[in-house]
Amino acid sequence: MAKQRIVVMYGGKADEHSISCISAAGVLRALDTDKFEAIEVGITKNGEWIVDGEDPRKWNMSEGMPTVEKTDSSKDVVLDVALGQDGFFAREDDGTLTSLGHVDAVLPVLHGPYGEDGTIQGLFEMMNVPYVGCGVLASAACMDKHYTKVLLAAAGISVAPGITLDARDYDAASEFAADADEMLAAVQQAGLQYPLFVKPSRAGSSFGVTKVEHEGDAAELAAAVFEASHHDWRVLVEQGIDAREIECAVLCPKAGEAPQASWPGEIVLDKRAEGDDQFYDFDSKYMNSDASHVEVPASLPEETLNRVRETAKKAFIAVDGTGLSRVDTFVTADGEVMVNEINTMPGFTPISMYPKAWEATGVNYTDLITMLIEGVLR
């Protein structure tokens, strides 16, 4: 039986470029090569698509943050939208185009803007090319934390109290100091309790997130909003929730079928035991393996775990999800579950929650990837 030919994409223009590279390295190493032939398409930070570049399977986070770079052997990828699944080409040195062959599906292992936000999904929709993951609406809505909360709240799902600010209205020359009192007044009017978490609405991997702890400190708040504005002009200011952060992996390989939810897991921040005031930032996620570890299932009553699973599935349906997502929730001491955010292409790095959660639920990494791909094949 002929192998299915799968374009695996990685890199991209987003801040999460290197995380995408590491995720793709894991996926390619685990891919069932008896069933699938991978066509590796890297995207540079400038947005150039290439093939025949550096082998992603060699990348490892412990050796630094990898990036997609053009090499002497690499070739630009050219698309012919009208040809659909036969519309992928490589440009040779003399300018001629060589077909990359018929593409059965695309697995876009891309995080953040231009990969997880509905833009590339729209391109594949126009080309009529099957792809793994959420569609245009769910991808776009879940990339924007503000609109995620709007959809979830409309579906009756609890979310953290917060406000959304438009950083385009503020004085960048003063690093927003001139607008500090106005921001503080908005927080006070909303009745938000401290600590606050200030975050860009459309960024991932904890980029630009600041914890604001001093109530009434307008300068601290303004500095946090200014930091977030480097990543997005839409900035969320959310009330810190006294709760455990519990993550649930949702799987729905074939559109229209009922989603499945893994056993929920928890990222345990090991330095908290040493008295550190730590939250799950970029280093904890990716760079410092001593900072945290994953526990699946999370140490919670089974009734609470199942409530998280049901909430995750409900949230997935509310945003019109398909394929996969990781639903991040807050679970309070009294067992209330609220949704923090939804990641439509969660990390697949060696220490990522999504594959670990499914492994603990009985689906190994290779089978998980196979299920996602086979769910979109025609």
Side-chain angles (χ1 to χ4, degrees):
M1 184 175 176
K3 295 181 182 181
Q4 303 285 334
R5 305 184 75 249
I6 310 301
V7 168
V8 178
M9 303 191 71
Y10 51 92
K13 296 169 68 175
D15 290 334
E16 297 93 331
H17 177 102
S18 294
I19 307 306
S20 167
C21 291
I22 294 296
S23 289
V27 168
L28 287 165
R29 287 193 289 258
L31 190 70
D32 186 343
T33 54
D34 290 334
K35 291 185 175 182
F36 307 116
E37 176 190 348
I39 306 168
E40 298 146 29
V41 175
I43 305 177
T44 70
K45 287 188 174 183
N46 293 326
E48 301 160 300
W49 294 27
I50 63 169
V51 289
D52 298 335
E54 187 177 352
D55 185 355
R57 294 169 186 79
K58 299 177 181 177
W59 288 334
N60 191 308
M61 188 71 85
S62 64
E63 298 172 4
M65 302 283 279
T67 57
V68 176
E69 306 280 355
K70 285 192 168 184
T71 65
D72 291 339
S73 64
S74 66
K75 303 171 185 176
D76 291 339
V77 173
V78 178
L79 301 181
D80 186 331
V81 175
L83 294 180
Q85 291 173 259
D86 297 304
F88 292 76
F89 298 86
R91 181 183 286 118
E92 304 294 343
D93 291 340
D94 62 2
T96 60
L97 299 180
T98 300
S99 173
L100 295 178
H102 182 79
V103 170
D104 292 293
V106 176
L107 174 51
V109 191
L110 298 165
H111 308 312
Y114 308 108
E116 197 180 352
D117 62 355
T119 50
I120 205 165
Q121 288 77 13
L123 171 61
F124 296 137
E125 292 281 356
M126 289 192 295
M127 291 183 71
N128 196 27
V129 172
Y131 61 94
V132 171
C134 287
V136 174
L137 173 65
S139 298
C142 293
M143 189 71 236
D144 192 320
K145 297 177 181 66
H146 169 80
Y147 286 105
T148 305
K149 294 176 72 168
V150 170
L151 288 175
L152 293 176
I157 298 170
S158 296
V159 296
I163 59 173
T164 302
L165 303 176
D166 187 337
R168 296 174 298 183
D169 296 336
Y170 300 138
D171 179 36
S174 69
E175 298 187 355
F176 297 175
D179 307 286
D181 291 340
E182 177 187 338
M183 295 178 198
L184 182 60
V187 167
Q188 292 171 337
Q189 184 176 0
L192 302 183
Q193 303 296 309
Y194 285 71
L196 307 174
F197 284 90
V198 179
K199 60 184 76 170
S201 189
R202 292 166 290 195
S205 298
S206 300
F207 285 109
V209 179
T210 304
K211 184 179 183 180
V212 176
E213 302 188 77
H214 302 101
E215 186 170 357
D217 190 331
E220 183 185 14
L221 176 61
V225 175
F226 184 68
E227 172 61 27
S229 75
H230 296 321
H231 302 272
D232 190 7
W233 57 261
R234 184 179 289 132
V235 177
L236 269 63
V237 181
E238 293 184 339
Q239 177 174 307
I241 304 299
D242 185 12
R244 290 164 63 178
E245 297 181 33
I246 306 297
E247 303 178 0
C248 188
V250 180
L251 177 64
C252 183
K254 194 175 289 290
E257 294 188 348
Q260 308 166 60
S262 72
W263 281 115
E266 183 173 21
I267 304 292
V268 178
L269 300 173
D270 298 315
K271 290 185 179 180
R272 279 187 177 160
E274 302 166 15
D276 282 12
D277 183 16
Q278 184 194 19
F279 70 96
Y280 193 38
D281 59 9
F282 183 86
D283 272 4
S284 305
K285 284 183 178 179
Y286 302 114
M287 301 304 294
N288 184 357
S289 60
D290 296 327
S292 62
H293 68 275
V294 172
E295 287 186 1
V296 186
S299 180
L300 286 167
E302 187 167 340
E303 177 186 358
T304 304
L305 292 173
N306 284 323
R307 193 178 306 126
V308 171
R309 297 174 87 175
E310 291 305 312
T311 301
K313 289 188 287 186
K314 184 178 179 182
F316 186 81
I317 293 168
V319 299
D320 196 30
T322 189
L324 73 163
S325 289
R326 193 190 72 234
V327 179
D328 299 347
T329 72
F330 295 126
V331 178
T332 65
D334 61 3
E336 180 188 359
V337 178
M338 60 178 66
V339 174
N340 179 27
E341 62 180 336
I342 301 174
N343 293 273
T344 55
M345 183 51 71
F348 272 89
T349 71
I351 59 172
S352 292
M353 174 64 81
Y354 192 89
K356 283 183 172 290
W358 278 114
E359 187 174 5
T361 312
V363 182
N364 71 43
Y365 194 18
T366 294
D367 289 345
L368 180 62
I369 296 165
T370 297
M371 290 169 66
L372 286 166
I373 295 172
E374 290 184 340
V376 300
L377 293 175
R378 293 172 180 156

